[in-house]
Amino acid sequence: MPQTGERVDPFRSFNFLIEIEGIAQGSFTECSGLGSTTESIEHRQGGEGNVRKLPGRTTYSDITLKWGSTASTELWDWRQRIVDGNVDRQNVSVVVHDMDRSTEVARWNVTGAWPSKWELSGLNAKGNEILIETLVLSHEGVVRA
């Protein structure tokens, strides 16, 4: 915990890595969608004019990962197992490092993830952009460790 009056800089969004249990995929260029939502249920008790709001069901957003396409097929194979009807859930961690990339400063552990969508960026013979693969992960929960 910082001392009173001590400057605390926010984490940088580009110093991150993704750990996928059993899959040694290289660098990801983007990770988005990490979040949760809890429904608000309105309830009115008899005789009271006020409406109370109670927490309802919590859902978790799908996570989208993007990376430059390489010869590695590990993520493709994971997605293909789902397409073939073999549910293969993996635990995933999103890890943020300090500016020197030497110290872990934050971690979110995602449980029971499985790839629900894969997409390849557009191909264009006139362009010079990197070919980007996108994988969307559905999951059962996220915890900040």
Side-chain angles (χ1 to χ4, degrees), residues 43-139:
H43 175 72
R44 181 179 298 207
Q45 292 180 325
E48 286 190 26
N50 295 336
V51 174
R52 297 184 185 269
K53 292 191 177 191
L54 305 173
R57 181 178 63 139
T58 298
T59 57
Y60 299 93
S61 306
D62 288 345
I63 298 169
T64 301
L65 302 175
K66 294 185 179 189
W67 70 97
S69 187
T70 66
S72 172
T73 63
E74 288 180 289
L75 293 173
W76 170 266
D77 295 342
W78 185 23
R79 171 68 181 140
Q80 191 60 49
R81 288 192 294 275
I82 300 299
V83 171
D84 293 341
N86 301 314
V87 179
D88 180 10
R89 296 177 186 272
Q90 303 276 343
N91 292 322
V92 175
S93 294
V94 178
V95 183
V96 177
H97 284 96
D98 64 2
M99 287 297 291
D100 297 332
R101 289 193 160 283
S102 60
T103 304
E104 180 178 310
V105 294
R107 173 183 291 262
W108 292 268
N109 294 325
V110 177
T111 56
W114 56 276
S116 57
K117 180 181 178 181
W118 172 87
E119 186 175 45
L120 188 66
S121 65
L123 300 169
N124 182 348
K126 296 178 187 177
N128 63 355
E129 291 83 15
I130 293 174
L131 189 60
I132 299 293
E133 292 185 62
T134 301
L135 192 68
V136 176
L137 301 177
S138 296
H139 62 94

Side-chain angles (χ1 to χ4, degrees), residues 2-3 9 12 18 24 28-29 31 39 51 87 98 115 135-136:
Q3 298 295 322
D9 291 330
R12 305 298 175 105
I18 308 296
F28 290 90
T29 58
C31 173
E39 294 175 353
V51 174
V87 179
D98 64 2
L135 192 68
V136 176

